[in-house]
């Protein structure tokens, strides 16, 4: 309704003349934002007049405006700071003129803040009550002890006082409130007040049992467990006549199933009331009855929300029957009492053969069932552990449903042995939720994002790692939740813990290796995964983290090595980072397999094994035109040699390798080499040969990738090539002086224009089987460069726009301060109150109309907020849109607000794709979009030379192929602050 004001938190005020004013606004912390005020017309729907009270006047305005009048002075009070932490507070401005101001900011601000000991925490979002010419502030504050996010709040009231000058005296918040305003009446004696209390358990001293009898709504008892029964017992000190018991459960709007009982000796118990089938909520619950007893015990049996804490604010006992009755809610749906408990999921790669491709992984947990994948996973040895390899595109779904025992606020622990060679922002390991509601998600990952890289529940409970576990190393990671505290352990040590309450909405199945919507895929290795229906304590976590392989070995593997010279290589037989020195080594392709050709292998670990009386060497070699397998064993110093599974004279082994003091010397290229600190039996040798023979067979020997885009120049110096993608394959592009390295993307952009007439494409699988090179000729013709020459400075107001085919913007540019100007090779676009797709307030858009393939580049030299490193909602970049419709488009833009940085967006009929780099103000300023047929490749660069694909790209847009497109530059402000962008070096190659 008013620019710069989010329309929430409305409050009305009636002045002495009968006129009614409305105040509203929230999140007014942004520049040029604040609080809105309007005079309501008689229809109470429209306004006679509105105005903005900026946050430069109502300083720090955040939300919750409240107006009242006292002795001719108008007081506009509001909340500031962050509602989830201790900065939340109340401030005010005052006016002696009008409810609409002008206002002054008194020196007594702020007037209500967190107290010194923190027991009154984050007070705010208040109203004012006037009673007998006394004024009281009614506000909420966070619960004690404070739970995460500030969503658990308690209502409090304290008195307001004024100085002789009419300023508000800072309020002294109390726990007692203002008891003297309550009507005087005889209170019945609570026999439980201050008496001795026992309980089945208590979570911590912050939730000790004695809080049940302190008559304080700011303290409570909470059991250690949030599943199953819990009890609390009061000793009244003597046998009395009990006629009323009043209880206040922690969560008054959830139904609890419970039982009350009494006893004279704490041995023999009699039911006072049994509501073990209750399905209604209330607070307080007043139970009438008649019993003689000294002890009163409450059993909490079951709750409406799974995992709801077993907690109680107060329990009171009276000898008389109170007139008060319980006001019950309507019946509520209650979950099943019997749920699946224990170790729910356990998958273990040690149960599978190395070199195996699996589409089904058995769940050894109590649920049973399997995880199914459309694309098979490889079982590989990696740094001493047998593990499932996730290639960043694979996800598995469980054949079994998510049990009810993981719903709501239920406890759980997820423990994994995991190795992530390259840690990206978001890589999900396991998910079991559905939907997007805050607090309802359950995604657990190994990513680098500081806010959501570890856990995503939706909104404030999301967590990143305090220190991201190091890449390319094995880590034992545990996520544990006990119904109150969620903890992250790495390698047996607690790394981060926060309080929260969850409302997890279970999905129909578990997802392994991706999010619940099958994105943010994990790329790396998982050796073991366990999911429990309970929270693990620190001792249990440490015990799991200390479980490792019984023995380790020496292993060299070539599966993932890039072609070319090699001087060192990691020993893959151990989790310890032990490097192996290679002499005159080179990674080559032999017999359609990656292999190492070299002179000597030097390693202390290998030397130590070779000095044992018992050891075994397992390796293969390429000679002539074929691969062969060998095993050499030493049995108490006696050497045996097996060739392709058959025993032969040891003399031949001397032709294959020579043992040196610091390692070995190999004669022929090898694909793998292993040394074990124990001997192998003949049966074990045969088994290894059979397994090796299966692994040698591959389908890539005759594979030729289908070419989608032959090598061609996309601009003046870069060559692009693309082949068809096949699942489970990696691609290597090789040109003169440039080697891409193995990559899953079936395309490559060569940096150098000094390519020969052709490039080569080689394909490999997960085990290092390699196709023959495919040679592709480079099209020498370069595309035409379309760019404007140096232009004399001018603006759009002169109705002249050189170079461009068209321009779109709001017709009433004065209200949005829309302007386009240029000087030499720079273009500046600015506007305020503009949004893309808003018919009334569109941002400026300059475009060329193009058909067919093209490449467009531009540099974003400046954006709003960059000079002072302030993130804003200003958005600017490259826009691509079909001429015949505006609801389909592609953006490659800069948006620093929300720490997004470089952003990619694809919108169309049933299409919504959006991702970002998370770099915020540190974005990459060079933008590039390349159209090739149906594909749009979006890249960014720090220097205009080294280009990187944006997350989530390329976009495949069949609906845009063959269309005439508007390709150009745009800017939108996103709010009422003036935004702008300066573009340089805009170029199109066609």
């Amino acid at each position: 309704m008013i620019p710069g004001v989010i329309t929430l938190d409305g409050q009305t005020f009636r002045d002495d003349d009968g006129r009614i004013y409305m105040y509203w606004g929230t999140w007014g912390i942004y520049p040029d934002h604040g609080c809105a005020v309007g005079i309501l017309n008689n229809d109470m729907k429209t306004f006679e007049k509105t105005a903005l009270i900026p946050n430069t006047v109502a300083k720090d305005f955040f939300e919750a405006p409240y107006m009242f009048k006292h002795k001719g002075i108008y007081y506009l009070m509001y909340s500031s700071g962050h509602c989830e932490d201790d900065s939340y507070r109340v401030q005010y401005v005052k006016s002696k003129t009008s409810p609409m101001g002008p206002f002054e900011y008194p020196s007594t601000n702020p007037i209500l803040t967190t107290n010194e000991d923190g027991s009154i925490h984050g007070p705010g979002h208040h109203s004012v009550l006037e009673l007998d010419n006394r004024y009281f502030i009614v506000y909420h504050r966070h619960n004690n002890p404070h739970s995460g996010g500030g969503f658990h709040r308690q209502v409090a009231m304290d008195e307001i006082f004024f100085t002789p000058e009419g300023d508000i005296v800072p309020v002294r918040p109390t726990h007692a409130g203002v008891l003297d305003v309550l009507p005087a009446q005889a209170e019945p004696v609570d026999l439980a007040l201050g008496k001795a209390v026992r309980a089945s358990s208590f979570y911590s001293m912050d939730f000790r049992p004695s809080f049940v009898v302190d008559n304080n709504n700011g303290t409570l008892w909470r059991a250690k467990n949030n599943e199953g029964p819990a009890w609390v017992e009061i000793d009244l000190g003597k046998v009395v006549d009990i006629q009323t018991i009043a209880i206040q459960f922690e969560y008054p709007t959830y139904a609890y199933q419970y039982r009350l009982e009494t006893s004279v000796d704490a041995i023999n118990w009699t039911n006072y009331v049994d509501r073990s089938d209750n399905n209604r909520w209330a607070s307080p619950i007043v139970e009438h009855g008649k019993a003689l007893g000294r002890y009163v015990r409450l059993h909490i049996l079951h709750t409406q929300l799974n995992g709801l804490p077993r907690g109680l604010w107060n329990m009171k006992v009276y000898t008389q029957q109170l007139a008060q009755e319980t006001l019950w809610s309507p019946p509520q749906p209650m979950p099943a009492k019997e749920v699946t408990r224990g170790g729910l999921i356990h998958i273990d790669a040690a149960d599978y053969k190395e070199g195996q491709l699996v589409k089904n992984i058995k769940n050894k947990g109590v649920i049973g069932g399997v995880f199914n994948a459309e694309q098979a996973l490889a079982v590989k040895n990696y740094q001493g552990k047998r593990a499932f390899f996730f290639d960043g595109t694979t996800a598995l779904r469980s054949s079994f449903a998510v049990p009810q025992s993981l719903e709501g606020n239920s406890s759980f622990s997820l423990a994994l042995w995991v190795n992530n060679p390259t840690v990206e922002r978001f890589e999900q390991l396991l998910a079991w939720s559905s939907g997007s509601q805050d607090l309802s998600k359950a995604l657990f990952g190994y990513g680098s994002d500081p806010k959501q890289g570890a856990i995503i529940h939706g909104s404030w409970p999301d967590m990143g790692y305090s220190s991201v576990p190091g890449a390319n190393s094995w880590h034992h990671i545990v996520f544990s939740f006990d119904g109150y505290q969620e903890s992250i352990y790495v390698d047996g040590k607690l790394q981060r813990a926060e309080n929260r309450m969850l409302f997890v909405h279970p999905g129909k199945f578990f997802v392994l290796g991706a999010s619940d919507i099958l994105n943010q895929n994990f790329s790396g290795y998982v050796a073991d995964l366990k999911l429990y229906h309970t929270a693990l304590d620190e001792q249990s976590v440490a015990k799991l983290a200390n479980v490792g392989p019984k023995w380790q070995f020496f292993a060299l593997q070539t599966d993932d090595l890039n072609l070319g010279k090699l001087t060192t290589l990691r020993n893959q037989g151990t989790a310890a980072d032990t490097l192996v020195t290679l002499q005159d080594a080179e990674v080559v392709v032999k017999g359609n397999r990656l292999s190492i050709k070299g002179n000597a292998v030097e390693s202390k670990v290998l030397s130590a094994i070779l000095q044992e009386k018992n050891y075994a060497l397992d390796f293969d070699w390429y000679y002539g035109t074929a691969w062969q397998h060998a095993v050499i064993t030493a049995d108490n110093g006696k050497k045996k040699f097996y060739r392709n599974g058959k025993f032969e004279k040891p003399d031949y082994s001397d032709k294959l390798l020579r043992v040196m003091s610091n390692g070995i010397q190999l004669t022929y290229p090898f694909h793998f080499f292993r040394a074990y600190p124990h001997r192998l039996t003949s049966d074990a040798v045969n088994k290894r040969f059979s397994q090796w023979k299966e692994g040698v067979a591959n389908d890539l020997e005759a594979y030729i990738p289908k070419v989608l885009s032959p090598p061609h120049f996309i601009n003046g110096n870069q060559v692009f090539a693309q082949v068809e993608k096949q699942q489970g394959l990696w691609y290597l592009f090789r040109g003169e002086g440039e080697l891409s390295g193995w990559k899953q993307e079936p395309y490559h952009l060569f940096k150098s224009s000094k390519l020969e007439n052709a490039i080569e494409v080689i394909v490999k699988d997960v085990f290092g089987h390699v196709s023959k090179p495919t040679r592709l000729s480079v099209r020498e013709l370069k595309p035409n460069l379309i760019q404007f020459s140096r232009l004399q400075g001018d603006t759009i107001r002169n109705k002249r726009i050189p170079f461009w085919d068209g321009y779109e913007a709001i017709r009433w540019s004065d209200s949005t301060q829309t302007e386009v100007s240029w000087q030499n090779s720079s273009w500046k676009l600015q506007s305020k109150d503009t949004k893309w797709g808003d018919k009334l307030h569109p941002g400026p858009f300059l475009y060329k109309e193009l058909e067919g393939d093209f490449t467009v580049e531009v540099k974003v030299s400046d954006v709003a907020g960059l000079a002072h490193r302030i993130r804003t909602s200003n958005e600017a970049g490259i826009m691509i849109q079909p001429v015949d419709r505006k609801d389909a488009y592609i953006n490659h833009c800069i948006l620093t607000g929300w720490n997004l940085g470089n952003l990619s967006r694809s919108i169309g009929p049933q299409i919504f794709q959006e991702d970002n780099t998370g770099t915020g103000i540190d974005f990459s300023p060079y933008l590039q979009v390349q159209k090739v047929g149906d594909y749009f490749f979006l890249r960014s660069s720090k220097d205009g030379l080294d280009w990187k694909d944006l997350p989530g790209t390329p976009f495949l847009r069949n609906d845009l192929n063959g269309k005439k497109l508007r390709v150009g530059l745009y800017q939108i402000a996103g709010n009422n602050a003036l935004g702008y962008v300066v573009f340089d070096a805009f170029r199109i190659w066609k």
Side-chain angles (χ1 to χ4, degrees):
M1 299 172 66
I2 295 180
V5 178
I6 299 175
T7 308
L8 284 174
D9 291 352
Q11 182 258 340
T12 57
F13 165 73
R14 184 190 296 271
D15 203 1
D16 298 337
D17 59 4
R19 305 189 82 181
I20 297 177
Y21 297 78
M22 175 174 279
Y23 301 82
W24 69 92
T26 191
W27 299 353
I29 55 178
Y30 304 110
D32 300 321
H33 281 57
C35 174
V37 58
I39 305 175
L40 282 163
N41 290 318
N42 291 334
D43 62 7
M44 299 296 286
K45 297 179 180 179
T46 59
F47 290 99
E48 172 188 329
K49 179 183 178 182
T50 60
L52 173 70
I53 306 170
N55 53 20
T56 53
V57 175
K59 295 181 180 180
D60 307 323
F61 176 85
F62 182 70
E63 64 183 2
Y66 191 93
M67 168 64 73
F68 74 99
K69 189 176 184 180
H70 171 65
K71 294 185 177 180
I73 299 177
Y74 299 95
Y75 297 88
L76 176 62
M77 304 171 72
Y78 54 89
S79 294
S80 55
H82 300 281
C83 61
E84 70 273 16
D85 60 31
D86 61 355
S87 69
Y88 204 49
R89 58 193 183 272
V90 176
Q91 295 174 225
Y92 77 105
V93 291
K94 69 177 186 177
S95 174
K96 297 180 180 179
T97 306
S98 160
M100 299 184 76
F103 293 99
E104 61 178 282
Y105 184 79
S107 62
T108 56
N109 274 295
I111 58 166
L112 182 60
T113 62
T114 297
N115 67 353
E116 291 183 359
D117 66 9
S119 61
I120 294 172
H121 192 268
H125 213 126
H126 69 289
S127 60
V128 174
L129 173 67
E130 190 268 331
L131 182 65
D132 297 330
N133 204 32
R134 294 170 67 187
Y135 289 80
F136 304 92
I137 183 170
V138 182
Y139 59 95
H140 67 61
R141 60 201 196 192
H142 302 148
N143 63 334
N144 284 311
H146 319 309
S147 55
F151 282 85
H152 289 70
R153 303 169 179 177
Q154 299 168 340
V155 177
M157 186 170 79
D158 286 292
E159 190 163 3
I160 296 175
F161 298 95
F162 302 88
T163 68
E165 295 76 24
D167 293 339
I168 299 177
V169 176
V171 176
R172 297 189 62 179
T174 66
H175 292 287
V178 282
L179 299 176
D180 63 310
V181 302
L182 299 176
Q185 59 182 16
E187 289 286 340
V189 176
D190 172 18
L191 300 178
L193 183 64
K195 294 299 193 296
V197 183
R198 291 194 315 133
S200 55
S201 67
F202 58 97
Y203 189 89
S204 69
M205 289 303 292
D206 290 330
F207 298 102
R208 49 189 179 270
S210 61
F211 287 155
V212 167
V213 294
D214 65 356
N215 192 29
N216 187 340
N217 285 349
T219 59
L220 75 153
W221 160 76
R222 182 185 281 176
K224 183 74 174 176
N225 58 300
N226 67 324
E227 305 279 352
W231 56 263
V232 61
E233 175 186 306
I234 303 172
D235 180 358
L236 300 176
K238 62 181 180 180
V239 176
V240 295
D241 181 19
I242 300 172
Q243 296 197 34
T244 302
I245 301 175
I247 51 181
Q248 294 171 274
F249 288 114
E250 179 178 358
Y251 290 91
T253 55
Y254 283 107
Y256 290 73
Q257 295 177 340
Y258 60 94
R259 186 175 71 251
L260 278 167
E261 54 189 13
T262 60
S263 173
V264 296
D265 55 9
I267 299 174
N268 302 296
W269 294 88
T270 302
N271 276 349
Y272 184 83
V273 66
D274 187 348
R275 297 197 184 273
S276 55
D277 293 321
N278 179 52
N279 64 353
R280 297 179 296 168
W281 53 259
S283 187
I285 295 174
V286 182
E287 297 288 8
H288 299 301
K290 191 169 181 62
L292 286 175
R294 172 178 172 175
Y295 301 92
V296 178
R297 187 158 63 187
L298 169 69
H299 294 268
I300 302 177
L301 307 173
H302 196 47
T303 56
Q304 183 181 342
L305 178 72
N306 279 329
L308 194 69
R310 277 57 177 149
L312 197 66
W313 294 107
N314 295 292
M315 184 157 69
K316 302 177 181 181
V317 180
Y318 303 96
T319 59
Q320 64 267 56
Q321 183 167 317
L322 303 186
Q324 183 179 0
E325 298 289 342
T326 303
L327 299 177
W328 292 104
S329 74
Q332 305 293 310
M334 298 294 289
K337 295 182 180 180
E338 297 298 325
V339 296
T340 307
R341 303 182 186 277
L344 305 177
I345 295 176
H346 182 199
I347 63 171
D348 187 356
D351 297 332
Y352 298 83
K353 293 190 302 181
E354 182 184 345
Q356 188 176 356
L357 288 171
V358 296
K359 282 193 171 183
N360 311 107
I361 300 177
K362 182 181 179 181
N363 173 27
K364 301 193 295 184
V366 297
I367 303 177
V370 296
F371 282 91
N372 298 308
E374 294 182 5
Q375 176 68 30
L377 277 78
V379 180
K380 302 183 69 174
N381 167 71
Y382 197 74
Q383 297 177 10
K385 288 183 180 290
R386 193 174 302 171
F388 300 109
F389 173 61
F390 292 79
D391 65 6
T393 65
T394 306
L396 297 92
R397 298 183 184 184
S398 65
S399 64
F400 46 89
V402 179
Q404 185 177 292
S405 52
L406 294 176
E407 184 180 8
N409 195 56
S410 297
S411 298
F412 61 82
S413 292
L414 172 62
L416 310 96
W417 277 106
V418 59
N419 188 313
N420 193 343
T422 55
V423 184
E424 304 297 335
R425 284 182 67 203
F426 302 106
E427 296 191 55
Q428 305 304 338
L429 295 163
L430 189 67
W432 64 76
S433 60
S434 66
S436 58
Q437 183 68 35
D438 288 354
L439 314 183
S440 72
K441 300 176 72 66
L443 281 70
F444 304 88
Y446 185 170
S448 61
D449 188 86
K451 293 184 179 180
Q452 298 180 306
I455 299 172
I456 296 178
H457 290 307
S459 190
W460 63 266
D462 299 341
M463 293 173 69
Y465 293 96
S466 298
S467 177
V468 179
N472 204 30
S473 296
W474 280 109
H475 297 286
H476 188 258
I477 299 177
V478 174
F479 309 97
S480 185
F481 178 60
D482 63 7
Y484 178 66
Q485 180 173 280
E486 190 163 32
S487 304
I488 301 174
Y489 298 87
V490 177
D491 299 328
K493 296 181 180 179
L494 179 65
Q495 190 188 90
R496 187 172 179 181
E498 291 186 3
N499 299 336
R500 64 223 331 70
M501 182 175 178
L502 301 177
F503 300 86
V504 173
H505 185 267
K508 294 181 179 179
F509 43 76
F510 291 89
V511 177
L512 178 62
S515 74
D516 54 334
I517 58 174
L518 302 180
N519 66 356
Q520 300 181 353
N521 295 69
F522 174 67
S523 178
Y525 298 85
V526 175
D528 186 90
L529 181 151
K530 297 182 177 76
L531 178 64
Y532 306 88
H533 166 251
T534 55
L536 296 176
D537 57 26
E538 291 193 41
Q539 292 76 17
S540 300
V541 171
K543 185 177 180 180
L544 287 174
N546 288 327
V547 176
K550 296 179 181 179
W551 48 265
Q552 296 178 327
F553 54 98
F554 177 85
L556 298 181
Q557 298 172 186
T558 63
D559 301 356
D560 303 311
L561 297 181
N562 285 316
L563 298 179
K565 300 293 183 180
L566 196 66
T567 57
T568 59
L569 187 62
R570 196 190 198 285
N571 172 15
Q572 292 288 346
T574 173
D577 187 4
T578 58
L579 287 180
V580 179
T581 302
L582 305 174
Q583 291 184 6
D584 301 324
E586 183 179 4
V587 181
V588 296
V589 177
K590 292 291 184 181
N592 297 103
R593 301 176 86 199
L594 289 173
S595 60
I596 294 178
K597 178 180 69 173
N599 184 16
V601 176
E602 299 177 359
S603 166
K604 292 182 179 179
V605 175
L606 177 58
S607 296
I609 292 175
L610 294 174
Q611 291 172 11
E612 298 287 336
K613 290 184 177 181
N614 298 314
Y615 66 81
L617 305 180
D618 182 12
F619 62 99
D620 58 4
W621 81 94
Y622 187 79
Y623 177 68
T625 60
W627 281 97
Q628 300 190 60
H629 179 257
V631 172
I632 300 174
T633 66
D635 187 354
N636 289 319
K638 184 178 181 181
K639 188 166 69 173
K640 294 182 180 179
F641 173 64
Y642 298 84
R643 177 178 179 179
N644 295 331
K646 295 181 180 180
F647 177 77
E648 293 191 8
K649 292 182 178 180
D651 296 346
Y652 188 83
S653 66
D654 296 335
K655 299 179 181 180
L656 301 180
L657 62 81
R658 183 169 63 90
V659 176
M660 304 182 299
S661 60
N662 57 348
I664 60 170
Q665 189 172 26
L666 290 160
T667 307
Y668 301 105
F670 67 90
H671 178 68
F672 82 96
F673 180 91
R674 292 189 180 181
Y676 300 96
H678 57 82
R679 66 182 182 87
L680 293 177
T681 65
S682 58
D683 288 341
V685 171
N686 288 327
K687 185 177 180 180
R688 289 179 182 275
F689 170 68
S690 298
Q691 187 175 335
W692 173 86
K693 190 175 181 180
E694 291 177 7
V696 171
N698 72 90
D699 300 324
L700 290 180
E701 186 172 352
Y703 178 77
I704 299 176
K706 179 181 178 181
V707 180
L708 296 184
S709 181
H712 64 281
F713 285 90
I714 69 165
N715 50 30
N717 59 1
Q718 292 176 305
V719 172
F720 176 81
Q722 182 184 14
V723 298
E724 185 177 52
K725 182 176 179 60
Q726 295 288 336
Q727 286 291 331
L729 296 183
W730 280 256
Y731 303 85
L732 184 143
F733 295 81
R734 179 163 56 186
E736 178 65 24
E738 187 170 342
L739 192 69
S740 69
W742 296 111
K743 54 191 294 187
Q744 288 183 281
E745 298 80 14
Y747 55 85
H748 186 65
L749 185 65
F750 288 89
K751 302 175 186 177
S752 173
S753 61
K754 298 178 182 179
L755 295 175
E756 295 181 344
N757 294 329
I759 66 168
E760 287 184 338
V761 182
I762 308 174
V763 180
K764 85 169 189 72
D765 67 12
V766 68
F767 297 117
H769 301 122
V770 181
S771 71
K772 292 179 179 179
T774 299
R775 190 173 177 84
L776 304 175
S777 298
V778 178
R779 193 168 60 202
E780 295 184 3
L781 182 66
K782 293 186 178 182
N784 294 323
L785 172 61
I786 305 172
Q787 66 177 350
F788 47 81
S789 34
R790 297 176 69 85
L791 303 170
Q792 184 178 355
D794 209 338
T795 68
I796 198 66
R797 287 176 291 197
N798 293 327
K799 306 300 182 185
R800 294 186 294 109
I801 316 175
F803 176 73
W804 301 102
D805 294 332
Y807 164 67
E808 287 185 358
I810 187 173
R811 289 181 293 171
W812 307 281
S813 59
D814 290 345
S815 64
T816 60
Q817 298 182 30
T818 297
E819 187 172 291
V820 176
S821 59
W822 59 91
Q823 179 69 43
N824 297 326
S825 61
S826 295
W827 293 84
K828 182 177 181 179
L829 282 64
Q830 73 170 44
S831 66
K832 62 183 291 187
D833 287 327
T834 51
K835 298 179 182 179
W836 185 255
D838 189 327
K839 294 181 180 180
L840 296 178
H841 299 90
F845 175 34
L846 303 171
Y847 59 84
K848 297 286 288 184
E849 292 188 351
L850 304 176
E851 294 183 86
D853 294 344
F854 58 81
T855 300
V856 56
E857 290 180 12
V858 72
K859 179 184 179 183
V860 178
S861 299
D862 191 16
V863 292
L866 182 61
H868 300 287
R869 297 189 60 80
I870 298 173
R871 297 193 291 265
T872 74
S873 62
N874 182 77
E875 178 183 318
I878 298 171
M879 171 74 71
I880 299 172
Q881 180 188 63
V883 172
D884 58 354
R885 62 186 307 168
K886 293 187 176 182
D887 60 345
Y889 53 91
I890 289 174
N891 298 136
H892 183 353
C893 63
I894 305 298
L895 178 54
T896 61
W898 302 276
N899 205 43
L900 300 184
N902 295 81
L903 183 142
S904 62
R905 185 186 292 129
S906 178
I907 304 295
Q910 297 183 329
I911 298 172
F912 183 90
Q913 294 174 269
E914 186 176 279
D915 212 330
N916 65 85
T917 58
T919 51
I921 207 76
D922 297 313
F923 59 86
S924 296
Y926 291 89
L927 314 182
Q928 182 188 82
V929 178
Q930 176 200 354
K931 180 183 181 296
V932 184
D934 298 344
Y935 288 91
F936 290 82
F937 294 86
L938 279 63
R939 307 182 183 101
S940 64
S941 172
K942 286 289 187 182
D943 56 10
L945 300 174
D946 185 16
W947 295 90
K948 295 182 180 179
D949 294 331
L950 287 192
T953 66
F955 293 134
L956 179 61
R957 291 296 297 267
N958 308 93
D959 60 312
L960 299 185
N961 194 24
K963 296 267 190 180
K964 180 181 285 189
L965 302 176
R966 291 175 174 171
V967 181
L969 307 174
Y970 80 104
Q971 179 269 336
I972 57 175
N975 62 22
N976 74 319
L978 181 65
Y980 71 89
V981 60
V982 176
F983 293 109
D984 276 306
F986 179 80
R987 296 176 290 179
I988 298 174
W989 286 269
K990 182 76 176 68

